[in-house]
Amino acid sequence: FSPTTCRRFISVVIAAISYDASNLPRLVQAGAIDALLPLSISTDVGTCRCAAFALQRVALTGEKYSTTPAFVRAIVSLLHFDDASTNHQACLAAKALCTSYDGRRQMVDAGVTAPLLRCGRRFVLAAEAMSTSSIIEEEGACTSSAAPSHGIAPREGVREACAALRNLSTCCMEAQ
């Protein structure tokens, strides 16, 4: 197997196991999440999608582990990746991390604001493209190629990016 294939299989297995929240503490104890962190900078779409899903699951648990600088940098890295599904999972993770003061501070320190804004803008543009292509399709002129990857509706992405930014904004209010 190539290194890319091995990394993808590792991320797929960890993502599948992380689907059941009761498995998350054992995954953390076994070091599986540490193994995912370097995979967040992969150039392989499948690897990044699975890494983003598993990291998002850990972020949702509120485990202290999810506010470590390495974990937060992995989420920010996934927000930079050019894939709607990966960005959606990373937005969900950012939203979850930004519900605690420590998480918000870590996210601000890691520079999450610009990538979250970029993701939100990308999702808005995709939603507008889908809206425009729907009008064109109704008129019978052409078919749309603007469909989001893997069933991620752009409006869901906009909602999650905005929710993450909303949660992050309370950090600024707490500091005053």
Side-chain angles (χ1 to χ4, degrees), residues 16-166:
I17 294 170
S18 72
Y19 189 76
D20 181 353
S22 67
N23 292 329
L24 290 171
R26 288 184 294 229
L27 281 173
V28 171
Q29 289 171 352
I33 306 307
D34 286 329
L36 275 179
L37 299 179
L39 299 180
S40 68
I41 59 170
S42 173
T43 57
D44 178 61
V45 174
T47 300
C48 282
R49 282 181 181 164
C50 291
F53 177 79
L55 294 175
Q56 179 262 133
R57 298 291 299 162
V58 173
L60 285 175
T61 67
E63 295 279 334
K64 286 186 178 186
Y65 181 85
S66 63
T67 58
T68 64
F71 190 95
V72 171
R73 280 192 307 273
I75 298 303
V76 172
S77 176
L78 291 165
L79 286 167
H80 284 286
F81 197 75
D82 191 22
D83 175 65
S85 182
T86 301
N87 292 159
H88 183 250
Q89 294 299 322
C91 284
L92 287 168
K95 179 178 84 170
L97 291 177
C98 290
T99 59
S100 73
Y101 179 78
D102 288 341
R104 287 188 290 274
R105 292 293 341 150
Q106 289 284 345
M107 295 298 272
V108 168
D109 292 345
V112 74
T113 308
L116 270 175
L117 288 169
R118 184 193 62 79
C119 284
R121 182 172 188 273
R122 183 171 168 226
F123 284 124
V124 166
L125 292 174
E128 288 173 353
M130 287 183 69
S131 174
T132 302
S133 66
S134 294
I135 293 168
I136 293 170
E137 284 177 8
E138 288 173 11
E139 295 172 359
C142 69
T143 58
S144 171
S145 62
S149 64
H150 286 266
I152 301 302
R155 288 190 176 124
E156 290 176 36
V158 171
R159 182 182 63 234
E160 298 307 334
C162 288
L165 287 164
R166 178 202 60 223

